[in-house]
Amino acid sequence: YQRRVRGTSKATMQAHRLTTAPWTAQRIKREGPACIRAAVVEDDAPAFAALVLAFNKCRAGEKVLREAGIEPSGAPTNNEADGQATRHGGSHSRRSGPSKDQLADWSRTLESLTKYTGRCCERFRGQEFKKVLLQLVAEAGGSTRPSDLRKDRHLPSTLNQRASQICDEAGTEATCECHSAGPHSVGERVHQFLVQAADAGLSRVSIVTGLGGHGGGGTIRQIMPGLLQCEDLVDSFEHASNYAALYVTIRG
């Protein structure tokens, strides 16, 4: 993506958002590229995420996404469907996600993003964050129920920062877990996390997206680079060694 001077594209984007017309293949071919560009230029993360979701539903949309440097998530493969069945009481087959080669090919499509700097060479240890956070919460006498852990998993709370610093994940100082987020709400979650991290004086944080090996095509992993590109607080970002997280440098 290339940033452009703000101008008339904002009005154009508003017109596209307000219309109730469905995203047919013909409409995507005609208006899709301009809408994607406008969402990036106007730093409109919710619109960007909505467009990616809509365009993933047909081949015309997938072509537009690829031309914009976004690898479509597509439909679940047979192996991914098996993983989904396992979660709902089906067979105990191993969940399947994208291969290393597929992830490497996908990451190369992100090179047009001006804030993306590639892949970090340090080994990803994201599972340790969950363990350390749970231990710290328990030691503090807090509840470890998932609903009570949301603030500490999604925002740079004191416990979140302590757990992140103990784990020392590539020098990150706080962690936002987004792999279980919905595609329509993840943009706001990341924005709030970045705002609070900046207010706390943090300079490097981790955004965990997962790989998408749980019955889907990795939608959160796919849309997160574009969301970070649109965030004014982001100076740069890079992938973790296994592509399951993004390390973000906050603009000082």
Side-chain angles (χ1 to χ4, degrees), residues 35 127 152:
C35 287
Q127 292 298 323
D152 293 313

Side-chain angles (χ1 to χ4, degrees), residues 94-112:
R94 184 177 180 179
R95 293 171 183 170
S96 174
S99 68
K100 291 181 180 179
D101 288 343
Q102 288 173 324
L103 290 167
D105 289 343
W106 166 67
S107 69
R108 282 190 283 272
T109 69
L110 305 176
E111 292 175 358
S112 60

Side-chain angles (χ1 to χ4, degrees), residues 7-220:
T8 56
S9 59
K10 183 174 183 179
T12 302
M13 191 62 206
Q14 287 175 336
H16 286 309
R17 285 205 305 269
L18 293 174
T19 183
T20 58
W23 279 108
T24 62
Q26 288 300 318
R27 185 187 176 209
I28 288 174
K29 292 176 183 178
R30 185 176 64 251
E31 303 174 13
C35 287
I36 287 285
R37 287 194 300 270
V40 174
V41 169
E42 297 303 325
D43 292 342
D44 195 334
F48 175 85
L51 289 168
V52 172
L53 288 173
F55 292 1
N56 263 314
K57 296 178 181 179
C58 69
R59 291 183 179 179
E62 290 178 351
K63 181 179 179 181
V64 169
L65 292 177
R66 289 193 180 94
E67 290 174 348
I70 306 164
E71 184 65 21
S73 35
T77 64
N78 291 335
N79 287 337
E80 288 171 334
D82 289 342
Q84 189 174 31
T86 299
R87 293 203 315 282
H88 296 283
S91 64
H92 295 279
S93 60
R94 184 177 180 179
R95 293 171 183 170
S96 174
S99 68
K100 291 181 180 179
D101 288 343
Q102 288 173 324
L103 290 167
D105 289 343
W106 166 67
S107 69
R108 282 190 283 272
T109 69
L110 305 176
E111 292 175 358
S112 60
L113 298 178
T114 57
K115 297 181 181 180
Y116 180 63
T117 59
R119 181 186 179 199
C120 181
C121 60
E122 295 188 34
R123 183 178 68 86
F124 178 67
R125 300 173 296 175
Q127 292 298 323
E128 293 184 12
F129 171 76
K130 297 178 183 179
K131 293 180 182 178
V132 174
L133 178 62
L134 285 171
Q135 182 178 351
L136 291 175
V137 170
E139 290 175 354
S143 168
T144 57
R145 292 186 302 179
S147 58
D148 295 328
L149 285 171
R150 286 174 185 161
K151 183 187 75 169
D152 293 313
R153 291 175 55 218
H154 303 159
L155 296 172
S157 65
T158 300
L159 290 178
N160 180 299
Q161 292 183 49
R162 282 180 60 193
S164 300
Q165 290 160 12
I166 289 171
C167 293
D168 191 23
E169 186 74 61
T172 55
E173 302 163 290
T175 303
C176 182
E177 292 193 337
C178 295
H179 48 285
S180 60
H184 294 292
S185 62
V186 68
E188 180 62 22
R189 178 185 299 186
V190 170
H191 178 72
Q192 291 301 321
F193 173 81
L194 292 172
V195 168
Q196 294 190 27
D199 289 344
L202 306 182
S203 60
R204 185 168 167 83
V205 296
S206 176
I207 309 289
V208 181
T209 63
L211 296 177
H214 298 281
T219 300
I220 300 302

